[in-house]
């Protein structure tokens, strides 16, 4: 697996990954209906994709397995998704480690995350510290969401917290 900077041609695949996530089925589906990760978003933010090479693909191919978006100005992890088929293989953990490195390189000492409720356990498991709850904001978001912070420090701190 390789983590690389997203480019304009990735936009459609990122949008499909967001809209097809099982984590947003049922009561959460309204959150991603019509959601779009466009080339403008990719250009404006630090968006990175995790891809696996597909051997024998014409001209070389790749399969998107996850991505994240770091908003440097706001010091916030805005989006993070791992494809349903790729969950449980450490890809989310690798994306978080990469995000922390990007934040550190940008001079950020902490990164805020407003979590989708079903992802709360994941964020705790990768060292995010709970700092509060963001209340529902109907009609856009109908449920409270846990808020976390990643402390970005030396490499020794990457796995600590929780």
């Amino acid at each position: 697996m390789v983590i690389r900077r997203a480019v304009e041609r990735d936009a459609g695949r990122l949008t499909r990954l967001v809209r097809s996530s099982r984590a947003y089925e049922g009561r959460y589906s309204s959150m991603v209906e019509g959601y779009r990760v466009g080339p403008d978003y990719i250009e404006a933010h630090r968006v990175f994709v995790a891809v696996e090479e597909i051997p024998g693909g014409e001209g070389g191919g790749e399969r998107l397995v996850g991505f994240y978006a770091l908003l440097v100005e706001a010091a916030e992890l805005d989006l993070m998704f791992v494809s349903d088929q790729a969950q449980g293989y450490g890809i989310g953990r690798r994306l978080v480690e990469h995000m922390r490195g990007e934040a550190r390189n940008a001079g950020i000492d902490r990164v805020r995350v407003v979590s989708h409720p079903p992802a709360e356990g994941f964020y705790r498991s990768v060292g995010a510290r709970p700092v509060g709850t963001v209340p529902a904001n109907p009609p856009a978001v109908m449920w409270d969401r846990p808020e976390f912070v990643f402390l970005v420090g030396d490499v020794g701190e990457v796995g600590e917290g929780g």
Side-chain angles (χ1 to χ4, degrees):
M1 183 192 73
V2 174
I3 298 175
R4 64 163 173 78
R5 187 83 185 243
V7 294
E8 184 177 321
R9 75 176 190 280
D10 293 320
R13 295 191 302 166
L14 300 182
T15 296
R16 283 190 295 280
L17 179 58
V18 169
R19 289 184 186 175
S20 67
S21 174
R22 284 193 312 246
Y24 284 89
E25 290 179 334
R27 70 178 268 200
Y28 299 116
S29 64
S30 64
M31 189 74 177
V32 295
E33 283 176 14
Y35 196 89
R36 178 180 166 270
V37 180
D40 53 336
Y41 183 88
I42 291 170
E43 178 70 26
H45 305 295
R46 293 187 187 198
V47 180
F48 289 86
V49 296
V51 294
E52 291 181 336
E53 290 185 25
I54 300 172
E58 185 176 318
E62 61 181 25
R63 179 172 73 103
L64 175 71
V65 294
F67 80 99
Y68 76 87
L70 175 64
L71 309 185
V72 172
E73 301 78 28
E76 183 169 353
L77 179 61
D78 187 43
L79 298 170
M80 183 169 175
F81 283 83
V82 173
S83 72
D84 293 336
Q85 300 79 14
Q87 290 184 13
Y89 295 100
I91 294 165
R93 183 172 297 277
R94 288 203 39 208
L95 286 169
V96 166
E97 289 172 8
H98 190 275
M99 179 274 303
R100 288 177 114 152
E102 282 296 309
R104 190 171 25 262
N105 291 341
I108 298 170
D109 64 351
R110 56 183 48 224
V111 176
R112 176 180 187 245
V113 179
V114 177
S115 175
H116 180 48
E120 180 175 357
F122 166 75
Y123 285 115
R124 287 178 185 272
S125 77
V126 293
R129 298 179 182 186
V131 293
T133 302
V134 175
N137 183 21
V141 181
M142 302 298 289
W143 50 88
D144 294 346
R145 295 169 293 157
E147 182 179 6
F148 293 93
V149 67
F150 282 106
L151 299 179
V152 178
D154 296 331
V155 175
E157 296 177 57
V158 170
E160 296 175 6

